[in-house]
Amino acid sequence: MTDPAPAPAADPSPTPAAGPSPALAADPSVAPASDRAARRGHGGVVRAAGCVLWRRAPQAEVRATEGGTEGGTVGVDAVGVEVDGGEAVEIGAVEIALVHRPRYDDWSHPKGKLERGESPADAAVREVLEETGLHCRLGAPLPGTRYRVGGRPKEVSYWAAEAVGGRFEPNDEVDRLLWLPPGAARERLSHSHDRSLVDAALDTLRTV
């Protein structure tokens, strides 16, 4: 499920890695021992997966402005998800979904640990659905990260993924879902390694 992580002020900044053996970085996050045992990968490596979830700004979107919104409820778009209250979104532009985890009070991309026997790609799709209520279509793989959790190496695989359906409902793990233009998403993200993933995803979308 949701990957435990430090609060924004204590961002461990895992090292982005394009290859299978990036440098390790310390991470103070430690999942419960039972959870680690159930979800650890091969050779003692804890494996997780997630997505940079994107969509094209819907034509029926409520346009956010400095003074409120035009044609709808303030702060909520046509599919029941918040929009940035201070920046109008150009119709046809790409938006990035960020999730807010109340347990850590941070903004991040949807991600979580692999279930036993599950592939990283399947885990990424499942985690997006569980955390956001949205179905997605995986696109290009993105640079992964590797760091240590409780003395054990952890690897996180990422994909760019297009949201293709579903509806967000607040849940125990994620209480808010925010669609933002890429620049605003970078600013809102709590951890530096998540910001670099936005740029990597946009590079893959230039031909979309």
Side-chain angles (χ1 to χ4, degrees), residues 67-92:
T69 58
E70 301 171 357
T73 304
V74 173
V76 178
D77 74 3
V79 292
V81 180
E82 293 178 72
V83 296
D84 183 39
E87 182 174 349
V89 178
E90 180 181 356
I91 297 300

Side-chain angles (χ1 to χ4, degrees), residues 22-38:
L24 295 179
D27 187 334
S29 304
V30 180
S34 59
D35 186 62
R36 295 199 309 272

Side-chain angles (χ1 to χ4, degrees), residues 32-145:
S34 59
D35 186 62
R36 295 199 309 272
R39 295 188 171 194
R40 66 188 57 160
H42 298 293
V45 176
V46 179
R47 303 178 69 198
C51 295
V52 175
L53 188 64
W54 66 275
R55 72 174 183 183
R56 300 183 189 278
Q59 297 292 324
E61 181 181 22
V62 175
R63 300 287 298 280
T65 67
E66 292 291 349
T69 58
E70 301 171 357
T73 304
V74 173
V76 178
D77 74 3
V79 292
V81 180
E82 293 178 72
V83 296
D84 183 39
E87 182 174 349
V89 178
E90 180 181 356
I91 297 300
V94 169
E95 297 174 324
I96 305 295
L98 305 184
V99 297
H100 180 261
R101 303 180 298 176
R103 182 177 179 183
Y104 308 106
D105 191 23
D106 67 354
W107 290 95
S108 64
H109 302 295
K111 68 178 183 299
K113 296 182 183 70
L114 273 64
E115 300 286 0
R116 186 179 298 277
E118 187 177 36
S119 71
D122 287 343
V125 172
R126 174 181 56 77
E127 286 291 338
V128 167
L129 181 60
E130 290 181 359
E131 293 192 357
T132 72
L134 302 176
H135 299 277
C136 69
R137 178 168 53 242
L138 293 186
L142 303 176
T145 59

